[in-house]
Amino acid sequence: MLTFKAFQVGLLGTNCYVVYDDDKKEGVLIDPGAYDKRISVFIKDKHLKITWTLNTHGHIDHILGDADFGYPVAIHGEDELFLNDPDKNMAPFIGAKMPKIKASRILKEGDNVEVGAYSLKVLHTPGHTPGGVCFLCGDMLFGGDTLFAESVGRTDLPGGDTDALIRSITEKLFALPDNVRVFPGHGPETTVRHEKRHNPFI
């Protein structure tokens, strides 16, 4: 069964997800915004083999733990430069010293990332950043900073584009089934149905 465990990490309360196939004991780490020992303990206790760190985008509060965890990093090509550019990733905003991060895989629209017997489909959702992505598996969407519970990602940061963000949400995310659960980069989970009806920004 594909399941996950969420951890709130870092100064900005980023939702970091360990997504794993509990039968195959394989998993991925999504958006480690800071190193947190609780995550390492959980991975060890569950006897998981983590194959990838998946970054939904390149802002510091989602990538700061990449190097410390040490798993191969995957990110969309449009955000690859964010990994080591403080002006793009906003490291000075939280007073962070940037570790050296190298992408081992460049993601693009329609790619699939294998997680045991399952796969996460990559949806390119630019707007918050040029290379923002969401990861979809069945009725679970790990949405980064594209769509929040009754809110949306900021577009006033480097690379932000309000029009692109609204298109990403309306044309891609709102085209998903209503019952899809959205697990965002910050804050509580929501559903596609709820956001279609109640999100004041769309």
Side-chain angles (χ1 to χ4, degrees):
M1 179 178 69
L2 189 73
T3 187
F4 70 91
K5 174 73 172 177
F7 298 85
Q8 193 174 81
V9 302
L11 294 175
L12 300 182
T14 301
N15 291 329
C16 174
Y17 300 96
V18 181
V19 182
Y20 61 100
D21 180 338
D22 201 25
D23 298 318
K24 298 286 188 179
K25 297 300 180 183
E26 295 180 3
V28 295
L29 184 63
I30 298 179
D31 285 351
Y35 178 78
D36 192 308
K37 187 177 180 180
R38 295 176 300 157
I39 299 173
S40 293
V41 169
F42 177 80
I43 291 169
K44 182 179 180 180
D45 287 349
K46 296 293 290 185
H47 305 289
L48 299 177
K49 177 185 177 182
I50 302 298
T51 54
W52 292 103
T53 287
L54 304 179
N55 293 140
T56 61
H57 63 289
H59 284 153
I60 191 64
D61 58 319
H62 292 254
I63 68 171
L64 185 58
D66 283 9
D68 288 331
F69 281 105
Y71 305 118
V73 171
I75 193 169
H76 192 276
E78 293 285 342
D79 272 21
E80 184 183 10
L81 292 179
F82 281 58
L83 292 176
N84 296 290
D85 187 340
D87 291 332
K88 292 181 180 293
N89 65 38
M90 304 291 292
F93 180 71
I94 62 170
K97 183 178 180 181
M98 270 309 302
K100 184 72 173 177
I101 304 171
K102 178 177 174 59
S104 297
R105 178 176 176 180
I106 300 302
L107 302 172
K108 64 182 184 303
E109 170 75 19
D111 279 354
N112 287 291
V113 179
E114 304 306 316
V115 185
Y118 302 87
S119 63
L120 300 177
K121 183 178 180 180
V122 177
L123 304 180
H124 183 208
T125 53
H128 181 62
T129 64
V133 298
C134 299
F135 299 102
L136 176 69
C137 184
D139 66 352
M140 298 188 299
L141 180 80
F142 298 92
D145 285 4
T146 298
L147 179 66
F148 300 127
E150 298 187 15
S151 188
V152 298
R154 293 176 60 172
T155 57
D156 59 337
L157 302 175
D161 183 327
T162 301
D163 291 340
L165 182 72
I166 298 304
R167 284 195 303 272
S168 292
I169 295 170
T170 57
E171 296 177 8
K172 291 189 179 178
L173 302 192
F174 283 3
L176 299 174
D178 281 355
N179 68 329
V180 168
R181 301 163 67 195
V182 180
F183 302 101
H186 303 272
E189 72 171 88
T190 184
T191 65
V192 168
R193 177 187 292 109
H194 184 87
E195 297 312 309
K196 281 181 178 179
R197 296 177 179 178
H198 301 292
N199 196 303
F201 294 90
I202 307 300

